[in-house]
Amino acid sequence: MVAGLWGLAAAPAARAAANPVAAAGAQPIAGPSTGLTSLNGMSIARDGTGGVVFLSQVSGAEHVFVSRLTGGVFGSPEQVDTGLSGASGQPVIAAGNNGLLLVGFINSGNLYVSQTPGASASFAAPVKLHTGAENPALQMTNWGKAYLAYTAPLGSGHYDVDAEYYDNGAWQAVSAPLNVTPGDDAGTGVGRPSVAAAGDGVGIVAWGENGHVYARRVWGTSPSVEDEQLDPPNFGGAAEVSSGTPVVSVGGDSPYPDIAYDEQLSSGPDTWNRVLMTRLIAEDVGDTVAVDNLSESTPGNAGQPAIAMSEYGRGYVLAGDDSTDQLIGMPLTNQGVPAASPAPVSQGPSTAPIAGVPAVAGTSAVVLAWEQSSGQPEVVERYTPDGTTLGAPQVLSAPGAQVQPGDGLAAAGDNGGDAAVAWVQGSNGALSLEAAQLYQPPIAGQPSVKSAYARTPTPTLRWSAGQARWGPLRYQVTLGGHVIGHTSATSLKVPEALVDGPHTWTVTTTNPAGQSATGRKSTVFVDTVPPEVSFSLSGRRRAHRRLSLHLHAVDAPAPQPGARASTVATVRIDWGDGSGLLEDSNLTRAHHVYLHRGGFRIKVAVTDRAGNRTTVTRTLRIAK
């Protein structure tokens, strides 16, 4: 599965995901505000950068805003449709590594994009891609290539499904419409297009046309010659009436996309709606399976298909069972093959139909989010680190938060297992956009060295930064079994003087969810006292005669209870005649022969392991 492996290489290496921990309380992104109208999407790249797109009113007209996700923090909203008159709508967003963001939207019936190449760059002014458009759908590969599909009105009630291709900062129009019959009634209503971008750079577009669902691949600006009809003429003994609302997803390999869609069936006078999924295998239409877990003998109604896949084609497909108000899910294994039968994902009562949002959060991990109503609506998530074993449901919204189910729900994750879920809550005229974040444990910061010496009683301890896609990270320093400080930096000065001697310390890295990891132990040896040094000379002080130096050097501890010294590290003797330096760590006696008469200055320098130095000098005269 080469393309899938390519997709993984675009982001930092991923650790095996575990069940993440949610930070206490949701992070407010926008509001409370009288202008906020809807949440429209969220995209997170595999390196953990991304953004949320939403609509909010400015001077009575809706405009497009984005809150960027950088280092695990959602930033202040930025308007991206500046300079355009009139209202904007239908915004879509796609994130690439290193803060790349693409935002498409409709303004005055035209398709625009605004983009930023990275977290530190501003959004560019909107660029018009197509005059007359609606229903945009956008997705980007891990390599920064993207496809934007949309419906293009042609007048007289005729429509085409068109697409644009993004690569290396530039957009190009796909060379021909994608729908089966040019100018046909394609991509409208429940036939609005959906798009997926495979890791190998190929796009797959699915859409509804004349009551059927079709798909076509796109290589850059070149659409495939063949299109595939996905909906079957009958299913489970019932005849097809029509199909629509397609959603498509793909992993690293473009030959293996999955497309889920609504299928209206009939038998005699009865009609009902189911959610089906069809796999494409290269140019062949593969098996069609039911996602909704409904009985074929006494079917109810289902809808709201949703699907997400990782680079390897692992993921989840969801459907809402309107008969029981349950969310139904079916896990997908490599290349989008169903891994198990559909089964309820939601638990507990709900008094309204449930629509779910799946999102990949690693090579196998998936987060499922939904809004359920059992009195007060609430936002719930379930997480699976291995793609099949779901954890217990967790309510993300606060009690009494007044979640607004009709105003949008979004979920996304990075390649390390972190995930975020966003929703709208509050009362009319005071809505806010909130995001709950699910964190994987950080990798601990480590002391810069295993052991170190210091000449000050208040040394500065240093360590490497902890590793996590999302922060901010905080550090707790423990010295001698006692916590001495907290910081967001990677160094800390010991606040109180230490006794001379060794001191063991550790640093603990903590993320916003309270998950922590402690690095290895390190030792700082404090020695504030320089060595004691003296020496004497013996022998005749004449040229060509041997002179002996007798050294006394000791690194005594400080006059403190329990103090220890670091011991002598080096002894250096400079005889003063340019003959070079003599160095030794255990020197107590040395000999030297002066070759000429004259005055010479002997210098003896003794340094301990902490770097304290004592220098003793003596001048002597050498006779002929």
Side-chain angles (χ1 to χ4, degrees):
M1 216 174 130
V2 176
L5 293 176
W6 289 348
L8 286 175
R15 293 177 290 156
N19 282 312
V21 173
Q27 181 182 159
I29 294 176
S33 167
T34 58
L36 181 66
T37 56
S38 64
L39 163 64
N40 298 84
M42 174 165 56
S43 181
I44 297 176
R46 307 311 267 152
D47 67 355
T49 61
V52 170
V53 66
F54 60 97
L55 291 174
S56 189
Q57 290 190 353
V58 178
S59 300
E62 286 186 329
H63 288 278
V64 182
F65 289 82
V66 169
S67 170
R68 305 193 208 192
L69 177 63
T70 307
V73 178
F74 286 98
S76 299
E78 304 170 65
Q79 185 177 341
V80 298
D81 62 347
T82 54
L84 298 179
S85 59
S88 297
Q90 299 184 327
V92 289
I93 188 169
N97 290 324
N98 302 313
L100 170 63
L101 284 176
L102 308 178
V103 181
F105 57 91
I106 305 298
N107 179 279
S108 300
N110 301 315
L111 176 63
Y112 288 85
V113 292
S114 181
Q115 60 202 51
T116 176
S120 61
S122 300
F123 275 95
V127 174
K128 185 194 293 186
L129 294 184
H130 198 279
T131 300
E134 59 187 51
N135 302 329
L138 174 65
Q139 194 177 61
M140 189 187 307
T141 73
N142 293 339
W143 292 99
K145 302 178 188 296
Y147 290 89
L148 174 60
Y150 56 95
T151 305
L154 302 177
S156 303
H158 298 296
Y159 298 85
D160 277 343
V161 174
D162 288 340
E164 299 275 339
Y165 172 62
Y166 171 90
D167 184 25
N168 198 29
W171 290 91
Q172 299 179 70
V174 173
S175 60
L178 305 180
N179 42 294
V180 178
T181 304
D184 202 357
D185 183 14
T188 62
V190 296
R192 84 288 179 276
S194 175
V195 67
D200 57 15
V202 177
I204 300 96
V205 180
W207 69 94
E209 182 177 350
N210 285 329
H212 299 290
V213 169
Y214 296 88
R216 192 190 294 268
R217 292 180 179 84
V218 183
W219 285 266
T221 60
S222 301
S224 61
V225 174
E226 293 187 10
D227 56 74
E228 285 81 29
Q229 181 179 332
L230 305 174
D231 52 303
N234 53 72
F235 187 84
E240 179 188 44
V241 177
S242 65
S243 59
T245 324
V247 288
V248 59
S249 192
V250 69
D253 289 335
S254 57
Y256 305 103
D258 284 359
I259 301 94
Y261 49 92
D262 286 329
E263 179 80 352
Q264 189 177 31
L265 300 168
S266 68
S267 178
D270 298 323
T271 62
W272 59 92
N273 202 75
R274 301 199 66 176
V275 174
L276 306 182
M277 187 187 80
T278 301
R279 296 185 66 232
L280 285 181
I281 304 173
E283 300 302 324
D284 297 326
V285 177
D287 294 336
T288 296
V289 297
V291 179
D292 49 36
N293 199 35
L294 295 178
S295 168
E296 293 183 1
S297 59
T298 55
N301 282 289
Q304 304 291 337
I307 189 171
M309 285 187 196
S310 72
E311 295 89 338
Y312 288 100
R314 303 168 188 160
Y316 244 89
V317 57
L318 298 177
D321 184 343
D322 297 343
S323 304
T324 62
D325 294 333
Q326 287 184 312
L327 181 66
I328 308 300
M330 183 173 70
L332 306 173
T333 188
N334 293 351
Q335 298 179 338
V337 176
S341 299
V345 169
S346 58
Q347 296 180 0
S350 181
T351 57
I354 292 178
V357 179
V360 296
T363 56
S364 296
V366 178
V367 61
L368 308 178
W370 67 92
E371 294 170 327
Q372 66 183 28
S373 298
S374 53
Q376 174 63 48
E378 55 189 10
V379 178
V380 186
E381 67 84 17
R382 293 185 75 178
Y383 189 95
T384 167
D386 60 8
T388 55
T389 308
L390 284 170
Q394 180 179 10
V395 177
L396 299 178
S397 52
Q402 292 183 276
V403 172
Q404 300 295 325
D407 291 337
L409 176 70
D414 62 23
N415 200 37
D418 308 296
V421 179
W423 66 89
V424 176
Q425 67 182 37
S427 58
N428 291 333
L431 296 178
S432 64
L433 176 57
E434 306 283 325
Q437 292 174 256
L438 310 173
Y439 293 82
Q440 292 291 328
I443 297 176
Q446 299 290 353
S448 300
V449 293
K450 186 175 181 180
S451 61
Y453 293 92
R455 289 179 289 169
T456 170
T458 55
T460 297
L461 309 178
R462 303 181 187 278
W463 56 91
S464 64
Q467 297 180 43
R469 284 172 171 79
W470 289 357
L473 298 177
R474 295 281 296 174
Y475 302 98
Q476 173 182 286
V477 180
T478 302
L479 187 145
H482 302 283
V483 176
I484 63 169
H486 297 83
T487 181
S488 58
T490 54
S491 63
L492 179 73
K493 185 176 182 179
V494 175
E496 297 182 2
L498 300 176
V499 173
D500 280 20
H503 300 270
T504 300
W505 65 279
T506 58
V507 60
T508 299
T509 305
T510 303
N511 67 12
Q515 297 167 293
S516 62
T518 300
R520 64 176 178 268
K521 290 182 179 180
S522 182
T523 300
V524 58
F525 197 115
V526 176
D527 186 349
T528 61
V529 178
E532 298 174 357
V533 181
S534 63
F535 68 88
S536 61
L537 299 171
S538 65
R540 301 188 67 180
R541 301 183 183 187
R542 289 182 175 275
H544 303 289
R545 303 297 294 270
R546 191 173 80 162
L547 189 68
S548 297
L549 183 150
H550 305 273
L551 176 67
H552 172 75
V554 61
D555 189 31
Q560 300 168 308
R564 292 171 57 184
S566 62
T567 71
V568 171
T570 61
V571 175
R572 177 179 292 179
I573 300 176
D574 183 351
W575 298 101
D577 60 354
S579 60
L581 303 177
L582 176 63
E583 281 196 31
D584 197 328
S585 60
N586 298 309
L587 190 66
T588 59
R589 178 179 293 185
H591 308 284
H592 189 67
V593 175
Y594 286 96
L595 301 179
H596 306 284
R597 69 177 182 176
F600 300 93
R601 189 179 186 189
I602 299 176
K603 181 187 296 184
V604 177
V606 179
T607 305
D608 65 22
R609 295 184 184 279
N612 299 298
R613 175 179 293 181
T614 299
T615 302
V616 178
T617 61
R618 180 177 297 183
T619 301
L620 75 159
R621 190 151 193 88
I622 300 297
K624 184 176 179 182

